[in-house]
PDB file of all heavy atoms in Angstrom:
ATOM      1  N   ILE U  42     -14.307   6.370  -5.256  1.00 98.00           N
ATOM      2  CA  ILE U  42     -15.242   6.852  -4.247  1.00 98.00           C
ATOM      3  C   ILE U  42     -15.942   8.132  -4.724  1.00 98.00           C
ATOM      4  O   ILE U  42     -17.105   8.372  -4.368  1.00 98.00           O
ATOM      5  CB  ILE U  42     -14.496   7.118  -2.901  1.00 98.00           C
ATOM      6  CG1 ILE U  42     -15.465   7.457  -1.784  1.00 98.00           C
ATOM      7  CG2 ILE U  42     -13.451   8.197  -3.034  1.00 98.00           C
ATOM      8  CD1 ILE U  42     -16.283   6.304  -1.284  1.00 98.00           C
ATOM      9  N   SER U  43     -15.270   8.904  -5.562  1.00 97.00           N
ATOM     10  CA  SER U  43     -15.869  10.135  -6.079  1.00 97.00           C
ATOM     11  C   SER U  43     -16.963   9.860  -7.109  1.00 97.00           C
ATOM     12  O   SER U  43     -17.764  10.750  -7.413  1.00 97.00           O
ATOM     13  CB  SER U  43     -14.784  11.031  -6.690  1.00 97.00           C
ATOM     14  OG  SER U  43     -14.051  10.341  -7.675  1.00 97.00           O
ATOM     15  N   GLU U  44     -17.007   8.645  -7.653  1.00 97.00           N
ATOM     16  CA  GLU U  44     -18.124   8.284  -8.533  1.00 97.00           C
ATOM     17  C   GLU U  44     -19.370   7.992  -7.711  1.00 97.00           C
ATOM     18  O   GLU U  44     -20.501   8.248  -8.157  1.00 97.00           O
ATOM     19  CB  GLU U  44     -17.754   7.043  -9.373  1.00 97.00           C
ATOM     20  CG  GLU U  44     -16.701   7.251 -10.400  1.00 97.00           C
ATOM     21  CD  GLU U  44     -16.508   5.998 -11.225  1.00 97.00           C
ATOM     22  OE1 GLU U  44     -17.451   5.558 -11.917  1.00 97.00           O
ATOM     23  OE2 GLU U  44     -15.398   5.426 -11.174  1.00 97.00           O
ATOM     24  N   VAL U  45     -19.164   7.471  -6.537  1.00 96.00           N
ATOM     25  CA  VAL U  45     -20.283   7.142  -5.651  1.00 96.00           C
ATOM     26  C   VAL U  45     -20.778   8.388  -4.931  1.00 96.00           C
ATOM     27  O   VAL U  45     -21.977   8.629  -4.809  1.00 96.00           O
ATOM     28  CB  VAL U  45     -19.898   6.049  -4.637  1.00 96.00           C
ATOM     29  CG1 VAL U  45     -21.087   5.657  -3.782  1.00 96.00           C
ATOM     30  CG2 VAL U  45     -19.310   4.839  -5.354  1.00 96.00           C
ATOM     31  N   TYR U  46     -19.799   9.189  -4.464  1.00 96.00           N
ATOM     32  CA  TYR U  46     -20.093  10.450  -3.782  1.00 96.00           C
ATOM     33  C   TYR U  46     -19.383  11.580  -4.517  1.00 96.00           C
ATOM     34  O   TYR U  46     -18.198  11.836  -4.284  1.00 96.00           O
ATOM     35  CB  TYR U  46     -19.627  10.401  -2.317  1.00 96.00           C
ATOM     36  CG  TYR U  46     -20.390   9.435  -1.453  1.00 96.00           C
ATOM     37  CD1 TYR U  46     -19.883   8.156  -1.171  1.00 96.00           C
ATOM     38  CD2 TYR U  46     -21.622   9.781  -0.899  1.00 96.00           C
ATOM     39  CE1 TYR U  46     -20.575   7.271  -0.360  1.00 96.00           C
ATOM     40  CE2 TYR U  46     -22.315   8.891  -0.103  1.00 96.00           C
ATOM     41  CZ  TYR U  46     -21.798   7.647   0.172  1.00 96.00           C
ATOM     42  OH  TYR U  46     -22.490   6.779   0.973  1.00 96.00           O
ATOM     43  N   PRO U  47     -20.061  12.276  -5.442  1.00 97.00           N
ATOM     44  CA  PRO U  47     -19.424  13.318  -6.229  1.00 97.00           C
ATOM     45  C   PRO U  47     -18.773  14.424  -5.413  1.00 97.00           C
ATOM     46  O   PRO U  47     -17.904  15.146  -5.932  1.00 97.00           O
ATOM     47  CB  PRO U  47     -20.578  13.857  -7.071  1.00 97.00           C
ATOM     48  CG  PRO U  47     -21.534  12.725  -7.179  1.00 97.00           C
ATOM     49  CD  PRO U  47     -21.465  12.017  -5.856  1.00 97.00           C
ATOM     50  N   ALA U  48     -19.156  14.578  -4.146  1.00 96.00           N
ATOM     51  CA  ALA U  48     -18.546  15.614  -3.308  1.00 96.00           C
ATOM     52  C   ALA U  48     -17.051  15.378  -3.113  1.00 96.00           C
ATOM     53  O   ALA U  48     -16.304  16.307  -2.789  1.00 96.00           O
ATOM     54  CB  ALA U  48     -19.230  15.672  -1.945  1.00 96.00           C
ATOM     55  N   PHE U  49     -16.590  14.131  -3.333  1.00 97.00           N
ATOM     56  CA  PHE U  49     -15.163  13.815  -3.174  1.00 97.00           C
ATOM     57  C   PHE U  49     -14.361  14.102  -4.444  1.00 97.00           C
ATOM     58  O   PHE U  49     -13.142  13.884  -4.454  1.00 97.00           O
ATOM     59  CB  PHE U  49     -14.984  12.328  -2.799  1.00 97.00           C
ATOM     60  CG  PHE U  49     -15.356  12.014  -1.386  1.00 97.00           C
ATOM     61  CD1 PHE U  49     -16.251  10.998  -1.108  1.00 97.00           C
ATOM     62  CD2 PHE U  49     -14.842  12.760  -0.324  1.00 97.00           C
ATOM     63  CE1 PHE U  49     -16.598  10.675   0.201  1.00 97.00           C
ATOM     64  CE2 PHE U  49     -15.177  12.448   0.992  1.00 97.00           C
ATOM     65  CZ  PHE U  49     -16.055  11.414   1.251  1.00 97.00           C
ATOM     66  N   TYR U  50     -15.013  14.541  -5.505  1.00 96.00           N
ATOM     67  CA  TYR U  50     -14.318  14.747  -6.768  1.00 96.00           C
ATOM     68  C   TYR U  50     -13.099  15.660  -6.618  1.00 96.00           C
ATOM     69  O   TYR U  50     -13.204  16.781  -6.095  1.00 96.00           O
ATOM     70  CB  TYR U  50     -15.306  15.345  -7.778  1.00 96.00           C
ATOM     71  CG  TYR U  50     -14.713  15.630  -9.149  1.00 96.00           C
ATOM     72  CD1 TYR U  50     -14.269  14.592  -9.952  1.00 96.00           C
ATOM     73  CD2 TYR U  50     -14.602  16.940  -9.625  1.00 96.00           C
ATOM     74  CE1 TYR U  50     -13.727  14.839 -11.214  1.00 96.00           C
ATOM     75  CE2 TYR U  50     -14.056  17.193 -10.869  1.00 96.00           C
ATOM     76  CZ  TYR U  50     -13.636  16.134 -11.658  1.00 96.00           C
ATOM     77  OH  TYR U  50     -13.076  16.400 -12.909  1.00 96.00           O
ATOM     78  N   LYS U  51     -11.958  15.135  -7.009  1.00 95.00           N
ATOM     79  CA  LYS U  51     -10.648  15.824  -6.936  1.00 95.00           C
ATOM     80  C   LYS U  51     -10.145  16.003  -5.504  1.00 95.00           C
ATOM     81  O   LYS U  51      -9.038  16.495  -5.306  1.00 95.00           O
ATOM     82  CB  LYS U  51     -10.675  17.168  -7.669  1.00 95.00           C
ATOM     83  CG  LYS U  51     -10.788  17.013  -9.191  1.00 95.00           C
ATOM     84  CD  LYS U  51     -10.599  18.326  -9.891  1.00 95.00           C
ATOM     85  CE  LYS U  51     -10.625  18.115 -11.399  1.00 95.00           C
ATOM     86  NZ  LYS U  51     -10.429  19.398 -12.143  1.00 95.00           N
ATOM     87  N   LEU U  52     -10.960  15.639  -4.522  1.00 95.00           N
ATOM     88  CA  LEU U  52     -10.488  15.643  -3.134  1.00 95.00           C
ATOM     89  C   LEU U  52      -9.992  14.260  -2.743  1.00 95.00           C
ATOM     90  O   LEU U  52      -8.952  14.107  -2.090  1.00 95.00           O
ATOM     91  CB  LEU U  52     -11.613  16.065  -2.188  1.00 95.00           C
ATOM     92  CG  LEU U  52     -12.149  17.479  -2.348  1.00 95.00           C
ATOM     93  CD1 LEU U  52     -13.335  17.708  -1.432  1.00 95.00           C
ATOM     94  CD2 LEU U  52     -11.041  18.490  -2.051  1.00 95.00           C
ATOM     95  N   ASN U  53     -10.738  13.249  -3.161  1.00 97.00           N
ATOM     96  CA  ASN U  53     -10.320  11.871  -2.967  1.00 97.00           C
ATOM     97  C   ASN U  53     -10.946  11.022  -4.088  1.00 97.00           C
ATOM     98  O   ASN U  53     -12.159  10.821  -4.115  1.00 97.00           O
ATOM     99  CB  ASN U  53     -10.782  11.343  -1.600  1.00 97.00           C
ATOM    100  CG  ASN U  53     -10.197   9.978  -1.291  1.00 97.00           C
ATOM    101  OD1 ASN U  53     -10.122   9.103  -2.137  1.00 97.00           O
ATOM    102  ND2 ASN U  53      -9.793   9.769  -0.041  1.00 97.00           N
ATOM    103  N   ASP U  54     -10.117  10.585  -4.978  1.00 97.00           N
ATOM    104  CA  ASP U  54     -10.565   9.782  -6.126  1.00 97.00           C
ATOM    105  C   ASP U  54     -10.063   8.346  -6.032  1.00 97.00           C
ATOM    106  O   ASP U  54      -9.900   7.669  -7.066  1.00 97.00           O
ATOM    107  CB  ASP U  54     -10.097  10.433  -7.435  1.00 97.00           C
ATOM    108  CG  ASP U  54     -10.724  11.794  -7.662  1.00 97.00           C
ATOM    109  OD1 ASP U  54     -11.972  11.879  -7.668  1.00 97.00           O
ATOM    110  OD2 ASP U  54      -9.981  12.781  -7.830  1.00 97.00           O
TER     111      ASP U  54
END
Side-chain angles (χ1 to χ4, degrees):
I42 187 73
S43 56
E44 291 184 63
V45 184
Y46 293 99
F49 287 127
Y50 179 65
K51 291 189 176 181
L52 297 175
N53 189 319
D54 296 304

